[in-house]
Amino acid sequence: MIKGWAFVAVTSVLLFVAMLRLLGARRPADAPALRWRVVALPLLVGAAALAAVAVVAIVHAIDTRRQTIAATLKTIVVLKVAQTEAWLHERGGDARFAKTSRFWADAYRGWREQSDAGARDRLVARLENFRQDNELRSVMLFDPGGEALWTSEPRAAGPGIPASLRAAAQQASRTRSILLHVGAASDGTGQGIDFVVPLDEAGTPAPVIVLRTDPGRQLYPLLQSWPTPSASGRIALVRRDGGDTVVINAATTLRLPAGPLRPADPLYARAARNELPVDALVDDVDAQGSPLVAMARPVAGTDWTLVAAIERSEAYA
């Protein structure tokens, strides 16, 4: 409204000046000359006032837009973190069942301590049924030393088992706690998020069951669904593994090595190092150098951080 009235005022002054010019050609010889400064000063003052109002309006619009972006991204990260935690809790229920299964523990002892082939067959059959019932990618059985005794996915056996998974199995056996292992592209066995579960009832040190989930069924679609119309919105789970950044996005699991000069993806690298403030709007760039606005929030019970980001050009379009 202020801008509209200012436009009317400036237009009126300009029309008034034009009229004075036309009338000035017919003024009497003794009429006082029109002084341009008398007209110019109000025009300059009006123009300066209009420019100030425009600057204030632009700054206010940008600040308002940034608050809107922050509110939108916070809603998204809160929603996606809650969905991720629900997925982990559901999968964790399978792991907790396996951890306390007396049948599995008894079958394992009968097989390994008494060389009972029937006990082995019963254990393998029960593990395979458990895999099918819970839509797991595969199930693996490790001895306390981290050696694979059986897997429902034969092509992943032997050298195909990543060293990180063997180490996780040994740690779970030693600490008798359920661990989360994230597969990476370099593993050679496909992608997976694994629950590494010691069998509590099978003695000490404990054998270990590895429940390999299929994130493509629920987790990837969950990360892929941006709840508002957006051409550049992206969601990812990130964590630090040694010097590398592990990224779980809507398509796959990636391992991004840290380069000598700059990280492979500055935003995800900062999130993996817990350098992003929780629920605060931050500005950064992706691996291609495109400016982003993003927000991060940790996932309870894990070392993951969920990051929601959108390209700055779209955010402020």
Side-chain angles (χ1 to χ4, degrees), residues 33-294:
L34 179 65
R35 294 177 180 240
W36 176 249
R37 292 182 181 178
V38 176
V39 180
L41 183 59
L43 281 175
L44 291 176
V45 173
L50 182 60
V53 171
V55 170
V56 171
I58 291 172
V59 172
H60 177 70
I62 292 176
D63 182 66
T64 301
R65 180 58 184 162
R66 188 169 180 83
Q67 292 180 23
T68 302
I69 296 168
T72 300
L73 288 181
K74 183 174 182 178
T75 301
I76 291 173
V77 296
V78 169
L79 170 65
K80 294 303 178 180
V81 165
Q83 291 176 332
T84 301
E85 290 174 351
W87 181 84
L88 288 170
H89 182 74
E90 180 181 356
R91 299 292 87 185
D94 299 337
R96 290 186 291 273
F97 170 83
K99 190 173 190 291
T100 57
S101 173
R102 181 172 295 278
F103 177 87
W104 291 7
D106 291 343
Y108 176 84
R109 284 198 301 267
W111 170 28
R112 301 296 290 175
E113 297 176 5
Q114 304 171 16
S115 300
D116 184 351
R120 176 193 180 280
D121 293 341
R122 290 191 296 272
L123 176 60
V124 167
R126 187 63 63 90
L127 291 177
E128 179 60 28
N129 290 337
F130 187 80
R131 181 193 69 81
Q132 295 176 5
D133 292 343
N134 294 280
E135 298 181 338
L136 298 169
R137 183 174 181 271
S138 65
V139 175
M140 307 179 74
L141 173 63
F142 288 81
D143 68 11
E147 292 299 320
L149 301 177
W150 176 83
T151 174
S152 63
E153 191 177 18
R155 62 187 179 86
I161 298 176
S164 59
L165 183 55
R166 296 180 187 273
Q170 292 174 329
Q171 181 180 354
S173 176
R174 184 173 60 256
T175 62
R176 306 184 76 82
S177 59
I178 300 174
L179 302 179
L180 203 61
H181 172 266
V182 180
S186 59
D187 290 349
T189 59
Q191 308 310 319
I193 299 174
D194 311 324
F195 287 82
V196 186
V197 186
L199 294 181
D200 278 353
E201 305 296 329
T204 303
V208 172
I209 299 290
V210 175
L211 308 178
R212 310 208 75 183
T213 67
D214 185 0
R217 288 183 177 271
Q218 291 180 318
L219 186 60
Y220 288 168
L222 181 152
L223 297 177
Q224 190 174 14
S225 59
W226 190 272
T228 62
S230 174
S232 64
R234 62 196 73 173
I235 300 172
L237 292 168
V238 300
R239 63 182 291 270
R240 191 168 179 82
D241 187 5
D244 298 340
T245 301
V246 178
V247 180
I248 304 173
N249 58 25
T252 184
T253 303
L254 305 174
R255 181 178 293 271
L256 305 177
L261 299 179
R262 63 187 297 272
D265 193 300
L267 175 64
Y268 291 154
R270 287 178 62 196
R273 295 193 300 266
N274 296 320
E275 294 178 358
L276 298 182
V278 176
D279 292 348
L281 196 64
V282 297
D283 296 275
D284 212 313
V285 296
D286 60 14
Q288 290 72 41
S290 300
L292 303 172
V293 288

